[in-house]
Amino acid sequence: MKMKQHLLQCAVVLLFLLFTQLELAVLSASHSVDHGRYGSIFSFGDSFADTGNKPIAFAANSVPVTVMGPPYGDTFFGHPTGRTTDGRLILDFLAENLGLPFVPPSLAHNGSFDRGANFAVAGATTLDADFFHDRDIPGAPSKFPLNTSLNVQLEWFQKLKPSLCGSTQECKQFLGRSLFFMGEFGVNDYHLSLKKWSVEQVRSLVPLVIETISAAIERLIKHGATSLVVPGVIPSGCSPPILTMFADARPSEYDPNTGCLRAHNELGIHHNTLLQDSLRRLRAKHPGVTIVYADFFSPVMEMVESPHKFGFRQDILQVCCGGAGRYNYNDSVSCGDPGATACEEPSSSLYFDGVHLTEPGYRYVADGWLNSINSAVDASSGNTGWCTSEHVDP
């Protein structure tokens, strides 16, 4: 009898939830159910998240950029924005779906940061710049990496914080309703190091990179963060710059099904495994904090393995905009340079100008991250698993 009553109650509640969801779908075309969940977004990272800091940071170091000319930004904005792609980034799609404005770049924005700030800078590393320069990585005459590492970005956030909230209670409330993105971090550390070191040597850096990311998460939690998204790294073995850098690799070093370099992808898998282990420890240490792992590796591999499924061309590892080379990529001719060529339909390509994806690629990755965010929030609020026989008295 109790079982029947419980099932009837579940059916009534599920019907209510169904009609509620249908009503929300009519009111909003967004994928996000609760637009009021977060009041702001704060982002740290590299070019996968940079919404416009690159031109400022590079100019300060007398490093030329082509990102402020066409074809950058053409697909969505209609003009360059400082993003290293043809349109929107993962962060842009997530902000849209969560009912928030695009996250303004902290170095290039003169307005309010009440709805969030983006500290990510293209080329940023996890480890401090001195770590690489002391080891002559990648070597003269390169100025990279610049002084824009994870710790530097955290310092920028700390300096901005007093303008966001005053008292401890005010900061607790404000930052408690903010969503923090920690990365992606790691790709630049590894790609720069691969210019001097073997894959095995670079692999030894992974624990230090993970430790630095974990320490940064702890710092944000102390500041008041309660919702964090921590992305893993991409499959570097499928990245055109890495494929070009190791063009002399033996045939046995490639995956015959994808054309990607196995060892470099395994490096990414190792990073992501250690990162997820670290996040599990952080969740146990901070049970009141939601820490979401965002998978960057798997969706990129899905698109590489099945290009037609996503509307991409068969030669999936070719970049849309670049210089002459096997993958239409040339390290000495950047997209936007006079010698570069751009494809007519960026939407048919996965890679835009090298390591960076096109807008359709970022959109697919963003869909997966949004699902992970929503699932984590549902789990933390106890919205899963309640309508089962485990809740029925015997």
Side-chain angles (χ1 to χ4, degrees), residues 288-303:
V289 176
T290 300
I291 303 175
V292 181
Y293 172 73
D295 189 354
F296 207 164
F297 192 102
S298 298
V300 173
M301 286 306 306
E302 288 177 41
M303 291 184 280

Side-chain angles (χ1 to χ4, degrees), residues 280-291:
R280 278 189 283 270
R281 291 190 292 271
L282 287 170
R283 291 189 195 104
K285 184 177 179 180
H286 303 281
V289 176
T290 300
I291 303 175

Side-chain angles (χ1 to χ4, degrees), residues 44-234:
F44 305 83
D46 54 23
S47 54
F48 289 118
D50 185 355
T51 54
N53 286 320
K54 177 178 180 175
I56 306 299
F58 279 40
N61 290 273
S62 301
V63 178
V65 296
T66 60
V67 74
M68 292 307 293
Y72 289 100
D74 284 357
T75 295
F76 179 79
F77 298 98
H79 59 85
T81 64
R83 293 165 172 81
T84 48
T85 185
D86 61 309
R88 288 164 290 185
L89 302 169
I90 300 169
L91 188 66
D92 296 319
F93 287 114
L94 292 172
E96 286 180 331
N97 279 286
L98 294 170
L100 292 168
F102 291 144
V103 188
S106 63
L107 301 181
H109 181 65
N110 294 322
S112 170
F113 291 102
D114 289 346
R115 304 303 300 276
N118 191 353
F119 305 97
V121 182
T125 52
T126 318
L127 307 179
D128 291 338
D130 285 346
F131 175 91
F132 299 94
H133 295 312
D134 289 347
R135 292 162 177 78
D136 196 30
I137 296 174
S142 176
K143 294 183 178 181
F144 292 100
L146 304 181
N147 190 34
T148 58
S149 68
L150 173 51
N151 283 329
V152 172
Q153 293 179 29
L154 286 173
E155 290 173 5
W156 293 343
F157 167 73
Q158 191 164 335
K159 290 178 181 178
L160 180 66
K161 185 181 173 184
S163 69
L164 303 173
C165 53
S167 66
T168 301
Q169 183 60 30
E170 185 182 355
C171 288
K172 180 179 179 180
Q173 293 176 346
F174 178 78
L175 298 177
R177 289 197 66 247
S178 300
L179 183 60
F180 289 79
F181 284 86
M182 179 52 65
E184 171 277 329
F185 276 108
V187 169
N188 286 320
D189 299 77
Y190 305 142
H191 286 201
L192 284 172
S193 299
L194 284 167
K195 294 184 177 183
K196 296 276 290 208
W197 291 356
S198 67
V199 177
E200 291 74 19
Q201 289 174 304
V202 174
R203 185 183 174 94
S204 68
L205 285 182
V206 176
L208 183 56
V209 168
I210 300 301
E211 179 183 332
T212 305
I213 294 172
S214 300
I217 294 171
E218 292 266 26
R219 285 177 64 179
L220 288 177
I221 292 173
K222 288 182 179 178
H223 277 295
T226 60
S227 299
L228 302 102
V229 178
V230 187
V233 297
I234 59 169

Side-chain angles (χ1 to χ4, degrees), residues 218-290:
E218 292 266 26
R219 285 177 64 179
L220 288 177
I221 292 173
K222 288 182 179 178
H223 277 295
T226 60
S227 299
L228 302 102
V229 178
V230 187
V233 297
I234 59 169
S236 291
C238 301
S239 177
I242 294 298
L243 289 165
T244 300
M245 190 187 307
F246 295 91
D248 58 349
R250 298 185 302 274
S252 60
E253 296 179 66
Y254 294 90
D255 182 328
N257 297 317
T258 62
C260 303
L261 287 164
R262 287 196 184 96
H264 299 78
N265 276 356
E266 289 170 359
L267 175 66
I269 293 171
H270 180 54
H271 170 102
N272 293 338
T273 299
L274 294 190
L275 177 61
Q276 290 178 79
D277 289 343
S278 177
L279 297 185
R280 278 189 283 270
R281 291 190 292 271
L282 287 170
R283 291 189 195 104
K285 184 177 179 180
H286 303 281
V289 176
T290 300

